[in-house]
Amino acid sequence: MASVQYINSRAEVLRKTQALAMNINAAKGLQEVMKSNLGPKGTIKMLVGGAGQIKLTKDGSVLLHEMQIQHPTASMIARAATAQDDIVGDGTTSNVLFIGELLKQAERLISEGVHPRVVSEGFEYAREFCLKFLDQFKIQPKDIDATLLKNVARTSLRTKLIPDLANLLVDEVVEAVQIIRKPEKP
């Protein structure tokens, strides 16, 4: 085996610290784009396609699908966030913001001399701690009544729509859920 490697002349070769910084900056850049979308008061973004078509949205999943992300780390974060949306139906923007913030903290710790493996093990420990906490913190409602359903519907709809429109749809959504609900299942 030769000790010489052939590298694509157009490829960028970075040292590990530069590569780490570049990956963290990609995550922070994606976080900056998405952070103004969070919550019911999030701003609506206008996306213009190559053929001039216009989309107005504040849905993180739509933004991530429409953005042409080139950086591998940012692309991986976008795929993880859209997988969250595919499974649960919400949380795309929160997922991107959470990952971006974790990487900001990792960058700070690494700049203070903490080894990346220790940071990674700390993230794993924190994940286990959070899962235990959530398991203890969760509540199972004894009765799923219309008030609870309205609160859930209102909260969910306000993340996707303007509050006035969301409030108009709450009663219809709750009625639809009650019609299809099977009494033997929660």
Side-chain angles (χ1 to χ4, degrees):
M1 199 48 98
S3 62
V4 177
Q5 293 181 331
Y6 292 101
I7 299 176
N8 182 346
S9 61
R10 291 181 289 171
E12 289 185 44
V13 180
L14 301 175
R15 293 174 23 162
K16 62 183 174 184
T17 54
Q18 293 170 320
L20 182 63
M22 209 168 161
N23 289 332
I24 290 172
N25 286 333
K28 290 191 314 192
L30 193 57
Q31 181 187 31
E32 284 298 313
V33 169
M34 300 291 288
K35 75 179 179 182
S36 63
N37 285 17
L38 187 64
K41 296 193 187 275
T43 57
I44 294 175
K45 303 268 193 288
M46 180 175 14
L47 305 171
V48 181
Q53 67 274 32
I54 296 174
K55 284 186 183 180
L56 296 174
T57 185
K58 66 176 225 145
D59 184 14
S61 181
V62 172
L63 282 171
L64 290 174
H65 279 296
E66 295 295 324
M67 290 170 62
Q68 296 177 352
I69 300 171
Q70 299 297 319
H71 193 279
T73 301
S75 179
M76 186 170 60
I77 293 169
R79 284 196 311 267
T82 53
Q84 163 86 15
D85 188 65
D86 293 342
I87 294 168
V88 180
D90 201 8
T92 311
T93 302
S94 299
N95 202 325
V96 170
L97 296 181
F98 186 66
I99 292 169
E101 197 56 41
L102 284 174
L103 289 176
K104 276 184 184 177
Q105 296 305 315
E107 179 182 43
R108 184 182 60 79
L109 290 168
I110 291 168
S111 71
E112 292 174 1
V114 178
H115 193 277
R117 175 175 242 147
V118 175
V119 173
S120 178
E121 288 171 359
F123 284 163
E124 183 63 28
Y125 177 77
R127 183 188 71 85
E128 291 170 9
F129 180 83
C130 288
L131 288 173
K132 284 179 191 173
F133 173 78
L134 289 173
D135 198 39
Q136 295 167 354
F137 186 73
K138 70 180 177 184
I139 57 170
Q140 186 70 23
K142 293 180 177 123
D143 185 33
I144 299 177
D145 59 352
T147 305
L148 177 64
L149 289 174
K150 284 181 183 181
N151 288 336
V152 170
R154 185 176 299 107
T155 301
S156 182
L157 287 170
R158 284 184 176 179
T159 67
K160 304 292 180 195
L161 305 169
I162 58 173
D164 292 339
L165 183 56
N167 291 337
L168 288 173
L169 293 174
V170 167
D171 290 327
E172 284 78 15
V173 169
V174 169
E175 185 178 332
V177 167
Q178 288 176 327
I179 289 171
I180 64 169
R181 182 172 179 242
K182 295 178 183 173
E184 67 276 0
K185 294 191 177 184

